[in-house]
Amino acid sequence: MRAMLIIADGMGDRLIPELGNGKIGKTPLEATETPSLDELARRGINGLVDVIRPGIIPGSDTAHLSLFGYDAFKTYSGRGALEALGVGLQVKKGDVAFRCNLATVENGVVIDRRAGRISEEGDELIKVLQGIRSDISPDTKIIVKHTVEHRCAMILSGPGISPKVSSTDPKKKGEKIARSVPLEETKAAYKTSMLLNELTDEFCNILSAHPVNTKRKAQGLPPANCVLFRGGGTIPDVVPLPELYKSSCAFIAPSSLVAGVAIAVGMKPIEVPEATGSYDTNHRAKAMNALAALESNEFVFVHFKPTDNASHDGDVAMKQKMIQKVDELVEIILDANMPDLHIAVCADHCTPLRVREHTADPVPLVIMGSQVRIDDIKVFDERSAAKGALQRLRGHDIMPILMNFIGHQKMFGA
Ligand code: ZN
Ligand code: ZN
């Protein structure tokens, strides 16, 4: 038996007056034609999920840790290492990773946090920072990698370093680069913050003199002469899923943050170049690749990002369009007609269109498969799911429930 977990990012929502007919509105899920999701609801069991805990607003990273069965409060260790993993970098236990921006600085003031959204030239610039050694911490190995656009990642490895340091990113243009300070009273945090400040100056000196920037200035473009550090983190200390459930686990997730969480818990990435994480994502290619992955994996996780993008954009029509894409993705999985497959669909949090930010409202969950005791719910949406047989769960309950259905759960006791 096998299981597939499909997470539509930010799909849950609140009632929107113009989507309803009378005084009471409807959620986008309620107002959108979703024949395949409804079929899952009809043939499955339904419930509502507080992804982390009632009233706690999940980030996509903490939400996914919880959805994969872990206590996010105990295991979450910052965004930097997860994103670095998600873009294919190696982060070992004890390493501290940061998210970085190439930025434009003039006299210590940040003029452009994204250096004019520099892109291809980022590779060439970042290359010169390789092999740099610190005077403050000579035994720290420093790796900087360009990822996409103005973004890069930095990984520090060596003894006595800590992620508990403040960011150097002032978050606003026109403000001075922030000096990093320790966020806890440890030698490691003190040393790491000093190291970040040293590297800020050092990188600035090197990049300012780089021919790419001389050329950019001549063309009237903002030079990428500084690197801002934020989101310091380590990889979460967890027992990986394959070990916990004696199953091989794979995932499809183009979003680097969610991919990082999946890698951190031991899932193997499946590359689907047509899956972009944006509105143009090829959901059919995702579904076909997910089905193929089931041939050699007991568990496959599929992440669908653009429902969240539409929600942050406050675009009602686009959110409905993206929900339809989720429905078509599910249709392809259903059409494969795999009798040994249990399919679960859920969201990682609500991103209500009228709020345009994540909220803590619970999200609908459906699980369909040969072993479930089908309930009376006929459609997949927030208010219907509230009446389902699964009732109200936490995000970290989903994996154990799925693994119980497919026979990969151990007995507790004797
Ligand atoms: Zn999310
Ligand atoms: Zn979001």
Side-chain angles (χ1 to χ4, degrees):
M1 298 248 266
R2 278 147 224 285
M4 184 185 290
L5 174 63
I6 301 168
I7 299 294
D9 208 298
M11 180 163 67
D13 214 303
R14 291 179 180 166
L15 302 178
I16 297 186
E18 65 260 37
L19 289 179
N21 295 323
K23 283 185 210 139
I24 299 172
K26 281 185 177 177
T27 71
L29 259 178
E30 288 173 345
T32 310
E33 287 282 311
T34 54
S36 300
L37 286 167
D38 294 347
E39 184 178 341
L40 284 186
R42 223 168 28 247
R43 294 168 54 193
I45 40 173
N46 300 265
L48 272 187
V49 176
D50 294 292
V51 176
I52 293 178
R53 219 186 247 177
I56 300 296
I57 301 173
S60 290
D61 43 11
T62 51
H64 280 83
L65 265 176
S66 189
L67 292 167
F68 298 149
Y70 301 93
D71 181 337
F73 287 109
K74 288 194 181 133
T75 54
Y76 183 60
S77 52
R79 183 169 181 172
L82 297 172
E83 285 222 357
L85 281 177
V87 295
L89 301 182
Q90 294 274 351
V91 189
K92 300 184 303 293
K93 215 174 161 181
D95 290 355
V96 176
F98 292 87
R99 308 169 67 208
C100 315
N101 270 19
L102 274 165
T104 308
V105 167
E106 231 174 79
N107 301 324
V109 173
V110 178
I111 305 296
D112 186 339
R113 286 182 63 246
R114 301 185 179 90
R117 288 201 178 264
I118 185 169
S119 190
E120 304 92 58
E121 293 162 311
D123 259 350
E124 214 181 320
L125 279 168
I126 292 296
K127 250 186 228 154
V128 299
L129 305 177
Q130 296 320 321
I132 277 195
R133 288 277 160 184
S134 154
D135 292 334
I136 287 168
S137 181
D139 53 357
T140 305
K141 195 175 160 203
I142 300 156
I143 297 168
V144 195
K145 285 260 167 74
H146 177 239
T147 54
V148 288
E149 297 171 348
H150 55 281
R151 297 194 190 96
C152 27
M154 178 170 77
I155 298 157
L156 304 177
S157 38
I161 48 171
S162 162
K164 303 281 185 213
V165 292
S166 72
S167 150
T168 63
D169 185 349
K171 294 272 159 69
K172 263 195 233 149
K173 64 176 186 179
E175 289 196 14
K176 279 194 151 178
I177 304 179
R179 298 312 274 180
S180 179
V181 293
L183 297 176
E184 62 177 22
E185 283 187 34
T186 59
K187 262 191 185 167
Y190 180 75
K191 183 172 90 171
T192 310
S193 67
M194 297 285 286
L195 173 61
L196 283 193
N197 294 330
E198 181 196 13
L199 292 178
T200 300
D201 298 340
E202 183 78 17
F203 287 2
C204 220
N205 288 337
I206 297 172
L207 293 175
S208 296
H210 197 286
V212 163
N213 279 328
T214 316
K215 202 171 102 197
R216 282 179 71 83
K217 276 201 218 157
Q219 292 168 332
L221 294 169
N225 57 6
C226 174
V227 178
L228 303 172
F229 308 111
R230 65 202 149 101
T234 54
I235 50 170
D237 187 14
V238 295
V239 180
L241 287 183
E243 211 173 292
L244 264 180
Y245 296 117
K246 306 281 171 270
S247 341
S248 53
C249 306
F251 75 94
I252 300 172
S255 139
S256 57
L257 182 60
V258 173
V261 182
I263 291 168
V265 302
M267 293 190 221
K268 287 171 298 195
I270 296 163
E271 299 300 336
V272 182
E274 308 94 311
T276 61
S278 308
Y279 296 142
D280 65 353
T281 192
N282 187 338
H283 54 297
R284 294 194 169 86
K286 252 181 178 169
M288 298 310 289
N289 279 276
L291 285 171
L294 283 173
E295 284 167 25
S296 50
N297 293 281
E298 277 96 16
F299 176 74
V300 174
F301 159 63
V302 181
H303 182 243
F304 185 85
K305 177 75 179 127
T307 29
D308 191 52
N309 306 357
S311 311
H312 285 292
D313 288 345
D315 188 337
V316 179
M318 186 57 87
K319 184 157 187 178
Q320 290 193 274
K321 209 169 149 188
M322 291 304 117
I323 288 174
Q324 270 166 345
K325 276 196 170 191
V326 176
D327 193 68
E328 285 164 16
L329 191 160
V330 168
E331 183 185 6
I332 294 169
I333 308 294
L334 279 173
D335 283 351
N337 215 354
M338 296 176 68
D340 67 343
L341 177 65
H342 280 69
I343 311 170
V345 178
C346 193
D348 61 340
H349 47 76
C350 287
T351 312
L353 283 156
R354 290 289 172 266
V355 183
R356 297 173 68 162
E357 297 288 348
H358 303 181
T359 67
D361 313 43
V363 292
L365 164 71
V366 60
I367 303 176
M368 190 213 89
S370 60
Q371 307 303 305
V372 308
R373 298 192 299 242
I374 298 169
D375 60 21
D376 295 332
I377 306 305
K378 306 281 184 246
V379 288
F380 181 73
D381 60 58
E382 295 85 346
R383 285 188 288 181
S384 305
K387 292 171 261 171
L390 281 171
Q391 301 182 354
R392 194 138 170 177
L393 309 170
R394 300 281 172 94
H396 63 243
D397 295 327
I398 297 176
M399 281 301 287
I401 292 173
L402 265 181
M403 290 298 151
N404 169 57
F405 285 141
I406 70 166
H408 277 259
Q409 186 63 291
K410 290 187 296 283
M411 180 164 55
F412 173 51

